[in-house]
Amino acid sequence: MRVYKTGEIRNVAVVGHGACGKTSLVDALAFVAGTSKRHGSVKDGTALTDYTADEIERKYSINLALAVAEWLDTKLNLIDTPGYLDFTGDALAGVWAADGVVVVVPATAGVEVGTEKVWEYCEGRGVPRMFFVSLMDKEHADFEKVFTSIKERLTPKVIPVEIPVGEGPEFHGIINLFSKKCHLYKKGTKAGEYDEVDVPAEYQERFARYSQELLESIAATDDTLLERYLGGEEIGRDEAIRALKAGMLKGEIYPLFCGAAELTYGTRALLSKLVELCPSPAERSPVEAQKWGSAERITLQPDDSAPFVAQVFKTISEPHVGDVTFFRIYSGSVKNGQDVYNAPRQAVEKLNHLCVAVGKERTEVAELHAGDIGVVAKLRDTHTNDTLSTQAAQIVLAKIPFPEPVIAVSVEVKQRGEEDKLSTGLNKLHEEDPTFHHEYNAELGQTLIRGLGERHLEIVVGRLARKFGVHAQIGKPKIAYRETLRGKAEGQGKHKKQTGGRGQYGDCWIRVAPLPRGSGFVFEDKIVGGVIPRQYIPAVEKGIIEAMGRGPVAGYPLVDFKVELYDGSYHDVDSNEMSFKMAGILAFRNVTPSCKPVLLEPIMEVEVWTPDEYQGSVMGDLSSRRGQILGTEPDGRLVKVKALVPEADLDRYATALHSITHGRGTYRQKFHAYEQVPPETAQRVIEARKKELEEAKA
Ligand SMILES: Nc1nc2c(ncn2[C@@H]2O[C@H](COP(=O)(O)OP(=O)(O)OP(=O)(O)O)[C@@H](O)[C@H]2O)c(=O)[nH]1
Ligand SMILES: [Mg+2]
């Protein structure tokens, strides 16, 4: 593959809801362009950009992947992204690295949740977009319906540049509104070949209507053009294309194309339009960056003479290779083998074997120009979202705002002794995938992993086994229960041991009383007349603090109570700190069971956003989770439901919400307070805990 200059590059992300045909489209574009020699298929596991073992097995995309289509002396860097929301981090990364986006919408289903999500990402990045109505050959394909659904759910600024001839199994041609020609495909066409004919008579009326709409929409993006158009002047094709491109850059118009990637129908026209309409890296709106360690803002010039600045938007670790890093150059150029600098990590990295990627194949190149996308293996200290620059320039880009995890499960190794390997593996996986998080919770004695959905975490566990040889199983995260007291009591703790030589003697009397929620633990020294010598009083407190880690109800930490130390006795020879600490522990254990102890559980404040048709089901479900609805209010096109729900009843809530709202609901939760567990639930918790403590002992 030859090296392309900035003006000859187009970085295009292909995004859309799951299974809308993105991977098939990318494969077809690379094949029809001739860059890829085989027309692969998702079903057969041969698609260019679904090449990892996980993807071949499951037949859907998990990682973003690159392909190249060389067309009209231009290199299209095609970024295939996963559609499932569990992997939406990669869709966002793809949009981030691109200068233009193809939003794929299936002719059979129209706009779906995943389409709305990626649309949001595109809006956030302000990147020019076009639509591709895919699967036109499938049963129930309906072009008009999809066009309407885009207008209603995404943007009124969408405008068809092509219209299909036939739909579903009858789909066999595409009319181009610019060329005023119709392309008819022969059954069994290999690479999108067609016969060019005049617009068929029965399509003349539709053609005229859509052509007028297209011209009006384009003219509306430019005042002088509009004036001329209204004055009855003819707008030529080239001029219209130029205006369309300019309108796309301003986010004022979104052209729509159609086809069937598996049959390669519509792919040639799309390739040409990607070259013509997407901005080259030099034409996109400038990207801002910052000098490392200072507030100085810099506008990056997509120009070979500027300092090298690139952002890592994806890392994937491959068997026998290690980490493979995908980066997008925002300014400057880079040569194979060149040293670059990762300023925040103060690491020099050598770009050995600088490559471009086409699916799993990597081709070494001598250099890459400003704006291009490159791939390099075996960097030492560089991870996803890092900026690579030069030691002289030390520039950093704003980070890609990856989504926060919504679901947590616990993991534990199946084989004892593999804990270290587990934590190394989890660290590596987080560096690859910033939407995956993990932590060890010492209180619960559990490792928790967090991600964007159950499927996401399943894949992570699969990777742990495959890449790091750690076999782990997932489970329910434990709940950090607490205990508190509702009554007062007093009593003694006495530690006395007479062994051969010097004995042990400590004796104390305490009064225990509840405190308001959130007060913590208060210790009061009420000893008079030195019945316990000064130096032993802190030892009593220490004993109680140690003992309160295991409360009287079920061995959970006891909170919000006061202890008054008011009496005791000592022995001249046998008393020491250790003995008084033991006395404190014993006193706590003797007295607290008489203080009406109760179990507390964490209550979360949950905010759910749902389309209003699911509001009733969402609220019903929250109530069935012992939730208390606080209120509802409209929020944009959605309704926000606010509720207090015990954490114990929110296990895998993301999955439940997804199914209740057909994927359209989202939620956020934060800790609200500890509240008493109702008696029937408490009984269950206590029994489960007893079993757990016994197992831990065994
Ligand atoms: N009939 C028909 N089926 C297609 C076409 N393109 C793709 N498909 C099928 O649609 C399914 C999904 O295609 P993919 O290309 O994997 O879709 P995707 O958008 O990459 O899916 P995710 O990666 O899961 O988001 C596969 O079974 C394809 O074989 C097409 O043009 N016509
Ligand atoms: Mg895919």
Side-chain angles (χ1 to χ4, degrees):
M1 194 179 298
R2 76 172 175 92
V3 168
Y4 287 81
K5 300 250 167 62
T6 307
E8 305 168 317
I9 296 167
R10 305 286 181 276
N11 297 313
V12 179
V14 179
V15 302
H17 189 80
C20 64
K22 300 176 290 294
T23 301
S24 305
L25 178 63
V26 166
D27 191 286
L29 292 173
F31 172 69
V32 167
T35 313
S36 149
K37 298 303 168 215
R38 170 166 76 165
H39 187 188
S41 127
V42 174
K43 285 183 200 131
D44 302 342
T46 54
L48 209 50
T49 47
D50 275 3
Y51 60 83
T52 65
D54 283 333
E55 292 170 316
I56 291 171
E57 186 192 318
R58 293 166 189 253
K59 299 193 183 354
Y60 54 73
S61 307
I62 294 168
N63 297 295
L64 76 71
L66 297 173
V68 172
E70 296 170 279
W71 190 253
L72 303 176
D73 286 325
T74 305
K75 180 169 80 153
L76 292 164
N77 285 323
L78 301 171
I79 309 171
D80 180 25
T81 64
Y84 282 109
L85 292 179
D86 287 57
F87 316 113
T88 191
D90 271 20
L92 176 66
V95 167
W96 222 253
D99 302 312
V101 173
V102 177
V103 181
V104 179
V105 188
T108 44
V111 172
E112 293 167 273
V113 185
T115 337
E116 291 177 329
K117 191 90 213 165
V118 290
W119 187 258
E120 238 174 67
Y121 296 156
C122 294
E123 298 266 78
R125 187 63 166 164
V127 55
R129 280 147 265 179
M130 54 173 79
F131 289 99
F132 181 74
V133 178
S134 62
L135 315 187
M136 271 308 305
D137 63 314
K138 256 192 126 173
E139 200 81 54
H140 308 301
D142 189 337
F143 180 80
E144 291 278 341
K145 210 160 133 187
V146 173
F147 176 39
T148 311
S149 94
I150 294 172
K151 266 198 284 199
E152 284 172 357
R153 286 179 64 176
L154 299 180
T155 173
K157 298 174 191 162
V158 52
I159 187 73
V161 170
E162 295 177 338
I163 52 174
V165 177
E167 284 182 327
E170 265 82 66
F171 173 61
H172 66 288
I174 294 174
I175 297 169
N176 189 292
L177 303 177
F178 279 126
S179 71
K180 306 184 174 45
K181 288 287 177 194
C182 174
H183 294 169
L184 292 181
Y185 298 94
K186 292 192 208 71
K187 258 212 161 65
T189 171
K190 290 247 163 16
E193 300 88 354
Y194 50 79
D195 288 331
E196 192 170 270
V197 298
D198 288 333
V199 176
E202 69 268 33
Y203 278 90
Q204 282 294 346
E205 187 274 326
R206 263 184 105 189
F207 169 71
R209 178 160 49 89
Y210 273 111
S211 296
Q212 187 184 349
E213 222 181 294
L214 175 63
L215 275 181
E216 277 170 13
S217 305
I218 292 176
T221 62
D222 181 315
D223 286 345
T224 43
L225 209 58
L226 186 63
E227 217 167 285
R228 284 172 45 205
Y229 176 77
L230 293 176
E233 217 176 297
E234 176 111 6
I235 310 287
R237 177 196 182 272
D238 291 349
E239 200 175 2
I241 297 257
R242 262 200 310 277
L244 177 55
K245 180 171 179 172
M248 283 170 67
L249 257 180
K250 290 184 283 181
E252 284 180 7
I253 191 164
Y254 306 101
L256 178 144
F257 300 83
C258 66
E262 256 184 5
L263 305 177
T264 66
Y265 293 5
T267 45
R268 287 171 176 269
L270 184 63
L271 283 166
S272 302
K273 286 298 173 299
L274 286 170
V275 172
E276 280 187 288
L277 294 175
C278 283
S280 83
E283 294 166 317
R284 75 169 283 155
S285 20
V287 171
E288 293 267 301
Q290 205 169 332
K291 188 124 184 126
W292 171 244
S294 97
E296 189 191 332
R297 309 286 304 167
I298 298 156
T299 305
L300 297 182
Q301 300 305 329
D303 183 321
D304 284 353
S305 59
F308 173 76
V309 181
Q311 184 167 44
V312 175
F313 61 95
K314 172 77 183 170
T315 314
I316 184 164
S317 87
E318 277 187 14
H320 317 300
V321 179
D323 280 353
V324 178
T325 301
F326 295 43
F327 60 89
R328 148 87 203 231
I329 305 174
Y330 285 94
S331 82
S333 62
V334 69
K335 293 211 159 31
N336 195 347
Q338 188 180 321
D339 280 345
V340 297
Y341 193 60
N342 183 333
R345 298 190 199 271
Q346 301 188 347
V348 175
E349 299 275 19
K350 201 171 205 46
L351 301 187
N352 276 330
H353 304 294
L354 184 69
C355 286
V356 294
V358 178
K360 64 170 179 257
E361 305 295 338
R362 288 190 288 275
T363 314
E364 204 161 322
V365 289
E367 61 181 329
L368 290 174
H369 292 282
D372 213 342
I373 290 176
V375 177
V376 68
K378 297 198 167 75
L379 295 186
R380 280 173 307 136
D381 295 308
T382 297
H383 307 298
T384 303
N385 236 341
D386 285 359
T387 303
L388 295 172
S389 152
T390 62
Q391 210 142 6
Q394 306 218 7
I395 289 167
V396 286
L397 283 150
K399 286 190 183 294
I400 304 167
F402 284 106
E404 290 294 318
V406 295
I407 185 166
V409 300
S410 70
V411 273
E412 58 184 69
V413 289
K414 289 187 182 156
Q415 214 168 338
R416 276 209 184 162
E418 292 208 317
E419 288 80 2
D420 282 352
K421 259 163 86 184
L422 174 71
S423 101
T424 313
L426 294 175
N427 272 331
K428 291 290 293 177
L429 289 172
H430 170 68
E431 285 167 0
E432 264 182 39
D433 172 4
T435 63
F436 166 73
H437 295 245
H438 66 99
E439 81 203 90
Y440 178 73
N441 185 312
E443 179 189 337
L444 304 176
Q446 268 189 329
T447 298
L448 298 180
I449 56 174
R450 297 175 198 280
L452 297 179
E454 283 183 59
R455 212 192 292 241
H456 183 199
L457 297 180
E458 259 168 43
I459 299 265
V460 163
V461 171
R463 282 187 193 158
L464 271 177
R466 195 155 38 223
K467 291 184 178 165
F468 303 98
V470 193
H471 296 274
Q473 63 195 29
I474 57 180
K476 230 172 135 157
K478 290 182 193 164
I479 302 295
Y481 290 103
R482 299 274 185 273
E483 299 180 14
T484 195
L485 308 172
R486 318 222 87 185
K488 295 181 184 175
E490 55 183 62
Q492 185 187 23
K494 186 165 180 179
H495 177 69
K496 186 172 171 187
K497 248 188 191 153
Q498 216 60 60
T499 42
R502 195 171 154 185
Q504 296 174 26
Y505 186 93
D507 170 29
C508 67
W509 286 80
I510 59 173
R511 276 186 207 111
V512 179
L515 289 177
R517 194 68 29 79
S519 315
F521 167 63
V522 174
F523 180 81
E524 282 176 5
D525 168 16
K526 291 279 168 67
I527 294 295
V528 283
V531 289
I532 297 178
R534 284 292 91 186
Q535 69 269 32
Y536 298 141
I537 289 173
V540 175
E541 182 179 1
K542 236 193 219 161
I544 291 170
I545 288 173
E546 188 178 307
M548 68 193 237
R550 286 213 166 178
V553 181
Y556 289 109
L558 187 77
V559 296
D560 303 335
F561 67 104
K562 182 172 93 173
V563 169
E564 250 178 58
L565 174 63
Y566 68 94
D567 202 359
S569 63
Y570 71 101
H571 186 280
D572 278 337
V573 181
D574 293 347
S575 279
N576 55 24
E577 269 181 39
M578 204 44 224
S579 306
F580 272 97
K581 185 176 160 196
M582 273 312 294
I585 292 174
L586 293 173
F588 176 91
R589 291 192 188 151
N590 283 343
V591 180
T592 53
S594 318
C595 299
K596 301 194 188 128
V598 292
L599 201 60
L600 298 175
E601 65 180 338
I603 304 290
M604 310 304 280
E605 185 187 294
V606 181
E607 290 176 310
V608 185
W609 286 263
T610 169
D612 60 1
E613 65 256 46
Y614 307 117
Q615 183 187 340
S617 317
V618 165
M619 287 166 61
D621 174 71
L622 287 172
S623 304
S624 76
R625 295 170 185 273
R626 297 193 285 133
Q628 178 199 345
I629 308 286
L630 297 179
T632 63
E633 60 183 78
D635 188 354
R637 284 191 289 173
L638 301 171
V639 180
K640 182 165 101 178
V641 179
K642 219 166 154 180
L644 296 177
V645 190
E647 189 184 4
D649 290 76
L650 281 172
D651 185 36
R652 302 197 186 189
Y653 181 62
T655 309
L657 181 65
H658 188 89
S659 92
I660 295 170
T661 60
H662 298 273
R664 300 184 54 198
T666 51
Y667 87 108
R668 201 162 63 189
Q669 67 176 50
K670 62 171 197 248
F671 174 75
H672 171 71
Y674 271 99
E675 274 174 23
Q676 190 179 338
V677 183
E680 56 298 350
T681 313
Q683 210 43 50
R684 254 185 292 133
V685 176
I686 293 165
E687 268 152 35
R689 172 71 162 178
K690 217 193 238 162
K691 232 196 244 154
E692 184 191 313
L693 292 176
E694 272 162 17
E695 274 167 17
K697 243 188 242 162

